[in-house]
Each structure stands twice: as structure tokens, then as C-alpha cells.
Amino acid sequence: MDRVVGAGDRRALAAAAVTVVLWASAFVFIRAAGADFSPGALAFGRLLTASVALVVILIVTGEGMPARGAWRGILISGVLWFGVYMVALNWGERYLDAGTAAMVINIGPVLIALLGGLVLGEGFPSRLMAGIAVSFGGAIVVGLSNSGGGSAAILGVVLCLTAAAAWAIAVVAQKPTLAHASALQVTTGGCVVGTIACVPFAGQLVSEAAVAPLSSTLSVIYLGVFPTALAFTTWAYALARTTAGKMGVTTYVVPALVVLMSWIALREVPTPLAVVGGLLCLAGVAITRSRPTEPEDAPPPRIPNRT
């Protein structure tokens, strides 16, 4: 039995690793395609590509439609994570470099912990509140680091915080859904819902794709197939086999990967002050996940026998 559990843990870890690498690459490709596609059009093109790929896979595997009990979570995650998150992130990366955006987005695990207290009755320990204060302080520092862009930089931070909030709410809604449907079913359903939510941007996608260079169009296709169709499925697979908090921890490495990838592909490096702010964001997350060392209970005082 221990061997089976160990193998399952390794598969979940491998799935999480695939997710982290592909999601990190998404920040870079969003910056690359964002020069030719508006935020809504980029989100719709990415989701449409992913939906087609996922529906084909769903049909080939014969998994069919998710059970009725899964649809509530699928609808919530579809609108928020596949819809709001992607539009807000695309928009935010118009004002922030890829690495800085990734650092602000990584406040998501803190928000997941906060929602755990609100929705799941886990309470509000002092370390959680301290971590939230540190992380949001870091987000402010990131905004100040881009003060040369004026209010636009602040808007970029706000948009990335909006994306992080949408992600956190979606994860809390998605976790129980995986008890009623497979990772592929949940991801496909959410992606299709997100695509429908972004249909108003279809006209923009058609007009912008007509004049966009091939490299940008290929970036949109890449975003749909790999960081969306594949990475969201591997995320759901791993989430079904561990806790939401542990999955949130796996995203800590994303900003470092994004900074490396954006430096190699885009020659883009965050300013020193942005790095400080990003480290504060991650420090806040680390504070919320840390546990105080509890001293061993002292033995009860020995009462002398007076009889």
C-alpha cells in the first residue's frame, strides 16, 4: 500500500512540475503576443484553441460529460479562472514586465489561505494576517518600482491582483469538484465555459489576427495547447491528489522561472525595486504557510503526597 501511495505522490509531483514550467512560459508568451492582440482577444483565442484540443481529447478518451455534482465548481472556475483571470493577466502584462507580473500573481496562495478561513472555517491565525500584510506591501512596492509609468503601472498591479483573486476563488471552488469528475472533465468544462464568457471578444480576435504576424498567432496557439489545455489538466490531476494549500506552494517557483525565461526570450528583467517587492510578496506567502514550533507540553507539576 505504501508503494502505491508513493507512486501516486510522484505522479502528482510530476504533474505539478509540468504545470509550473508551462505556466511560467505563459507569462513570456503573453508578453510576446500582447503587442499584437488586445487582452480580451488574446484570452478568447487562447481559450478557443484549448477548448478544441480538450474536447477532441475528451471524445477520443470516451470520458463523456462531467457528473451533475461537478457543474457548480466548473462554472465558477470557468468564469473566474479561465475568463476573468486570463483577461486581467493579459491586460496587466501590458503595464508590467513578465517577471514582475508573475511575482504579484503569486499572492494567490495567500488569498487561498484567506478564503480557507472565510469559506471553510479555518480561522484567521496571526501568521495569516501578517503574511497578507507583507504580501500586499510587496505589491505596493512593485507598483512604486514602475512609477515611471505613472497610474498605468499601478493599474497593472491592480489587474494582476484581480487575476490572483480570481485564481484563488476558482481553486477553492474547483477542489471539491474533482470528487465528482476527472481532471480532464473539469478542465475541459471550465475551458469551454471560459471560452463562452469571452465570446464578446471574438470580433477583436478576427480583426487582429488578420494583421498580426505569424509569430504572435503561433504564440496564441501555444498558449492554448500547452499552458492551458495541458497545464490546467495536470494541475487538476495533482490537485485531486493533494490539498489546495500544497498545490499553491508549488507555484512559488514560477516567478524565478519567468524572470529567467523573459530574460532569455525578451531581454526583460525586473527593476531592483520590483525584485524587492516581489520577494516581499513571496515572503508574505511563506509566512502564511509557516508553522510556529510548538514546545513540548511540560509535565504537570508533581503534588507531594501529604497523607
Side-chain angles (χ1 to χ4, degrees):
M1 183 64 180
D2 291 339
R3 292 182 180 177
V4 174
V5 173
D9 289 343
R10 287 192 294 272
R11 287 194 293 269
L13 181 60
V18 170
T19 298
V20 165
V21 172
L22 291 179
W23 280 357
S25 72
F27 286 88
V28 177
F29 278 86
I30 288 170
R31 284 284 288 178
D36 300 292
F37 290 95
S38 57
L42 178 54
F44 180 70
R46 175 180 178 178
L47 289 169
L48 182 61
T49 302
S51 293
V52 171
L54 287 167
V55 168
V56 169
I57 295 172
L58 196 68
I59 293 173
V60 170
T61 58
E63 289 200 23
M65 298 288 287
R68 181 179 299 179
W71 278 104
R72 179 175 178 272
I74 288 174
L75 289 172
I76 294 174
S77 64
V79 172
L80 292 180
W81 202 352
F82 291 89
V84 175
Y85 172 91
M86 291 192 182
V87 174
L89 176 58
N90 295 344
W91 195 358
E93 284 204 55
R94 284 178 165 254
Y95 308 112
L96 301 176
D97 62 78
T100 302
M103 287 186 280
V104 177
I105 288 290
N106 226 37
I107 290 177
V110 173
L111 300 181
I112 293 173
L114 177 60
L115 285 174
L118 288 171
V119 178
L120 305 177
E122 297 175 353
F124 302 94
S126 58
R127 286 174 179 263
L128 172 62
M129 303 312 295
I132 291 173
V134 172
S135 288
F136 278 96
I140 292 174
V141 172
V142 171
L144 293 175
S145 73
N146 290 273
S147 58
S151 59
I154 301 299
L155 176 60
V157 173
V158 171
L159 287 166
C160 287
L161 288 175
T162 300
W167 168 37
I169 296 171
V171 168
V172 173
Q174 188 186 61
K175 173 62 178 176
T177 301
L178 291 165
H180 303 281
S182 70
L184 179 60
Q185 289 174 324
V186 171
T187 304
T188 303
C191 196
V192 170
V193 169
T195 303
I196 295 171
C198 291
V199 164
F201 302 111
Q204 293 179 10
L205 176 64
V206 172
S207 60
E208 292 169 9
V211 296
L214 178 61
S215 59
S216 292
T217 301
L218 292 176
S219 292
V220 175
I221 295 173
Y222 171 86
L223 287 167
V225 174
F226 294 100
T228 308
L230 178 56
F232 275 77
T233 301
T234 52
W235 164 276
Y237 175 88
L239 181 62
R241 289 156 178 79
T242 185
T243 65
K246 288 183 178 179
M247 280 303 294
V249 171
T250 64
T251 65
Y252 293 175
V253 73
V254 169
L257 291 176
V258 173
V259 170
L260 178 61
M261 291 178 180
S262 61
W263 174 67
I264 294 173
L266 305 175
R267 300 299 176 189
E268 186 177 84
V269 179
T271 65
L273 188 57
V275 172
V276 172
L279 291 176
L280 283 174
C281 291
L282 299 181
V285 175
I287 290 172
T288 65
R289 302 302 304 168
S290 64
R291 294 181 179 179
T293 56
E294 298 180 359
E296 294 183 2
D297 294 335
R302 185 174 182 179
I303 302 175
N305 189 349
R306 297 182 184 275
T307 59

